[in-house]
Amino acid sequence: MDAKTYSDGLADLRELRDEIKPLERRLKKLQADRDKKIAALGAYEKAKADRLATSAGLSVIDVVALVPRLGPQAPASGPVSEAVATEATGDRSGAEAAAQPIKESAETTAPGLSTPAVSAEAPAAEVQAEEPAPGPAVTAEAEQAPTVPAAQPAGEAPARELPSIPAGVEGDRWFRQESNLASKPPNFQQAVRQMAFLDTATGVLVWSGGTARLELGRASVAEILTAVYATVPATIERIYVTGGDPWHRDAGRYEFLRDAVAAWLNGPLPEGWQVESSRGKDRQAGHLVHPRNPVGRWQRGKDQHTEIRSVGEWFDPEGASPEIVRQAFVELWKALREKWRDVVLMGSPSQTGRDLWTRTIPERGRWAEGYPVLSQELRGLLHATAGQGRTELITPPRVPERVPAWYELDRTFAYARHCSVSPTGVPRRMTKAAFASLSDKEKADLLYAPSHWQVRVTIPEGWDHVGLLPAPAPGERSWHYPYEPGRTFTTWVGGAEINVALRNPITPWKVEFLDGLVWEKNQRPLQEWSTKLKSVWNHLLRWSTSHGDESMRWAFRLAARAVRSILLYGIGTFAQRPKITTGSVELNADGSTPEIPDGARLTGITDTHVTWQRDAGFARDPYAHPEWAAAVWSAARAALLSTHQSVIIGQDEKTGDVKVGKGVPAGALHLPAGSILAFRTDAIYTTERPDWPYSGQPGDYLLKGALDWEQTTPTSDEEFYTLQKLGRQNLEAEAL
């Protein structure tokens, strides 16, 4: 480019600027008129945020920002709850409503598939075994004082306010079991679905009958269905894509990956095929639109059904061939069958995990009538106040702009460490006044029982380390971790984290107890399930290092990761989020947007379709146990801060599983202040390389990435993931 071309370009740019300015002014005026209209209509006593949102083309949260009275004032007691929202980390399992061309199921940690009437509970936080003397700063006020919102640092947007339990009799009514709803063992055997494994980049297809190489063109849905079913029998009902990610082929044409995926799923179909519209006992209809691990469901005639899914739901194949991936599924099934004789691998790890758990529900004893499902009010409260894994990037000026090194410390199979004790049954309420009347010993005992507390927290003066407790941040589902000395905030948190705040190795925080849910100790509805999964995981790991064939070691390694997904995403399904249904409809012939269901909002537009999303509220799920998921997440967040690295003290003669005990303290609070750069669910990123011994047991910290030289501190997710990748590659190279 020469100087003249550059000058001419600037002139063109100025012309465009002058054309855009009046349009921007017009747009701002229209938006202001729209907002005034929403505010006026919102004054109507029967106005509803979802109806206004649909009419205005906005999200519900945008409407509530304009008309605050339309927002929820407490946890939803009806079937739909828009403000009872917490983090969702991907897995959404559960039954869907009537079939639509595109749907999202209600999973909570990874996309799931067909969910029959199976049971699913969530493991509770594993609290520390020892019970030290009552910690400092455990206070409660006798009066029922109102909740005080967090004091916001200058320039920070106000946080959302978490719900509270109503005072008196109204709140006491929440503490009940949902009528005629309990988790009971299944009375049926799962149907087996035949699988095939396809790499859409190479065209290699593997199934039980052999291997073939297909010509897939651009790997559209039509090309895949045509090529696969010209090769394999119609009894194949599940096609796992192991490589190629065909749903991303046209991603460059769309602003969001979800839109690209929706367009791919909605592509033309071969003659005789249609989007699946019927539902069997364990079959869902319609598609699941997920940006990276979508699920497409189609049928030909009345009897042939098929799915195209991503194997990424189960594990990252890391370039493994379809043959190795299939062998991983074979070894996974064989290992699980040693513990569950009736095991069937379902479409997703979340569904498989939930189904396996249902087959450990006792038929005799105290819970022979089933594990009770909490009232919708308590489930809504837990949904709104229990976050998932800690995700935090710590940036300058809290840390230097350049740091001396970068280390990734990842907890191995972390959630398996926190499933031994679960908050089972209907809790008792512990009000502020009731808590204040207890002795210090009784207060400490409560914190070592499964519990969930509303607390007012004050960070001590002189605190110079990371934040310890999650607090609501601005925006739906967001959480952050206040760390400023002297700051006071109100939040809900599990007993495991409160114990860390009160008994951390630096200095205790002040915690005032405002309200709480307390369950009895020593209930273990998930122990058998998690113990069996840990045994299977150990078995597969042993073979992943000792088998004589490299491809088999690879398969065993992938199978072990699948077991981790079964437990991790199984816990997510127990949380039972409000169902979010996504659908798509074709554009009108003139290109205009068609009608979408009441209460839905537009989420994307392609050349041919628009997609919508609607909150369908809480279902009467007999396996909904958000109290279990909340407790596991709380315990895992606490262990990021302070835990003990395992030491091997023996081996079980019958199973070969190792016996472990507590070793050295580990976690972020056992590293220097200012050395922590990030948290990611079960991993710490730091400038310090600790010498914590690693025994390979669930919950132990493993050095997973290392850069032993000066680095620029990451300030965005993109920079963070670049360093994460480089650190892992460097450590792997060092090992070679």
Side-chain angles (χ1 to χ4, degrees), residues 470-528:
E476 188 179 8
R477 305 183 189 178
S478 298
W479 299 85
H480 63 170
Y481 295 81
Y483 61 92
E484 302 89 347
R487 182 172 179 178
T488 295
F489 61 94
T490 299
T491 190
W492 283 85
V493 70
E497 289 169 281
I498 291 179
N499 274 316
V500 170
L502 294 174
R503 301 178 176 88
N504 70 76
I506 301 172
T507 187
W509 285 26
K510 179 182 178 183
V511 179
E512 301 174 54
F513 290 78
L514 308 177
D515 214 335
L517 317 178
V518 180
W519 288 265
E520 62 180 287
K521 291 184 178 182
N522 301 322
Q523 297 303 310
R524 306 176 186 274
L526 297 172
Q527 188 173 49
E528 181 183 350

Side-chain angles (χ1 to χ4, degrees), residues 576-629:
Q576 200 242 347
R577 308 292 183 193
K579 290 195 302 180
I580 298 176
T581 302
T582 297
S584 83
V585 289
E586 290 189 45
L587 292 173
N588 294 329
D590 61 359
S592 61
T593 303
E595 290 291 325
I596 62 175
D598 285 346
R601 62 185 179 91
L602 293 178
T603 57
I605 300 179
T606 70
D607 294 339
T608 58
H609 288 74
V610 298
T611 56
W612 52 263
Q613 192 174 80
R614 180 171 58 183
D615 187 343
F618 289 98
R620 278 183 58 82
D621 183 351
Y623 309 111
H625 292 282
E627 67 277 17
W628 296 351

Side-chain angles (χ1 to χ4, degrees), residues 356-429:
L356 293 177
W357 177 79
T358 65
R359 298 171 194 281
T360 66
I361 299 174
E363 296 184 358
R364 288 188 290 273
R366 177 178 178 182
W367 305 107
E369 297 301 314
Y371 294 109
V373 174
L374 299 181
S375 70
Q376 183 165 284
E377 290 85 358
L378 284 182
R379 284 181 285 140
L381 178 75
L382 288 161
H383 169 69
T385 61
Q388 296 187 19
R390 180 170 182 168
T391 299
E392 184 180 16
L393 184 63
I394 299 174
T395 58
R398 288 181 62 187
V399 291
E401 293 186 358
R402 291 187 65 80
V403 291
W406 162 278
Y407 300 103
E408 177 184 2
L409 300 162
D410 184 70
R411 296 186 70 218
T412 301
F413 201 15
Y415 283 8
R417 181 85 163 256
H418 307 298
C419 293
S420 62
V421 178
S422 302
T424 308
V426 178
R428 61 185 171 116
R429 184 178 187 181

Side-chain angles (χ1 to χ4, degrees), residues 158-353:
R160 72 188 190 283
E161 186 174 342
L162 296 179
S164 300
I165 304 173
V169 176
E170 182 183 355
D172 293 341
R173 290 197 189 100
W174 290 20
F175 290 77
R176 68 181 193 281
Q177 177 182 351
E178 194 71 35
S179 61
N180 301 316
L181 202 62
S183 305
K184 298 181 179 181
N187 57 5
F188 63 92
Q189 172 70 39
Q190 293 286 4
V192 176
R193 309 292 181 197
Q194 297 298 320
M195 310 175 194
F197 301 86
L198 174 66
D199 186 328
T200 61
T202 63
V204 174
L205 175 72
V206 179
W207 75 105
S208 59
T211 302
R213 186 177 294 274
L214 310 180
E215 292 295 332
L216 296 176
R218 287 187 51 78
S220 66
V221 170
E223 289 167 319
I224 291 174
L225 292 177
T226 299
V228 168
Y229 285 103
T231 308
V232 304
T235 52
I236 297 291
E237 296 186 62
R238 191 172 291 146
I239 303 167
Y240 280 112
V241 174
T242 65
D245 294 346
W247 37 81
H248 292 162
R249 292 287 172 89
D250 293 327
R253 296 175 52 198
Y254 300 92
E255 184 177 0
F256 301 107
L257 276 181
R258 182 182 292 274
D259 292 339
V261 171
W264 185 83
L265 291 169
N266 276 313
L269 296 173
E271 184 177 354
W273 287 90
Q274 65 184 51
V275 175
E276 188 174 45
S277 59
S278 63
R279 298 164 63 94
K281 186 173 185 180
D282 62 348
R283 180 181 291 122
Q284 293 180 343
H287 305 320
L288 173 78
V289 183
H290 187 278
R292 300 196 180 276
N293 296 315
V295 180
R297 304 183 181 103
W298 297 272
Q299 67 183 72
R300 180 162 58 178
K302 294 183 178 180
D303 300 324
Q304 184 177 357
H305 300 264
T306 194
E307 303 174 327
I308 297 178
R309 310 183 69 106
S310 169
V311 79
E313 297 177 77
W314 292 84
F315 47 72
D316 179 358
E318 296 182 339
S321 67
E323 292 90 344
I324 291 176
V325 172
R326 180 180 181 275
Q327 191 62 43
F329 274 79
V330 170
E331 298 304 330
L332 172 65
W333 177 82
K334 288 164 60 178
L336 289 172
R337 195 168 183 272
E338 292 297 315
K339 304 296 180 181
W340 286 275
R341 302 304 296 175
D342 56 352
V343 61
V344 172
L345 295 182
M346 301 179 69
S348 71
S350 59
Q351 294 173 332
T352 304

Side-chain angles (χ1 to χ4, degrees), residues 605-686:
I605 300 179
T606 70
D607 294 339
T608 58
H609 288 74
V610 298
T611 56
W612 52 263
Q613 192 174 80
R614 180 171 58 183
D615 187 343
F618 289 98
R620 278 183 58 82
D621 183 351
Y623 309 111
H625 292 282
E627 67 277 17
W628 296 351
V632 170
W633 296 332
S634 175
R637 292 193 301 267
L640 277 181
L641 300 170
S642 185
T643 186
H644 282 82
Q645 202 81 331
S646 300
V647 292
I648 297 176
I649 58 177
Q651 190 171 25
D652 189 300
E653 295 181 359
K654 293 183 179 179
T655 66
D657 294 341
V658 298
K659 298 178 181 179
V660 298
K662 287 187 175 180
V664 302
L669 295 180
H670 301 281
L671 295 169
S675 69
I676 307 300
L677 302 176
F679 295 98
R680 283 295 186 277
T681 305
D682 49 13
I684 299 171
Y685 298 82
T686 175

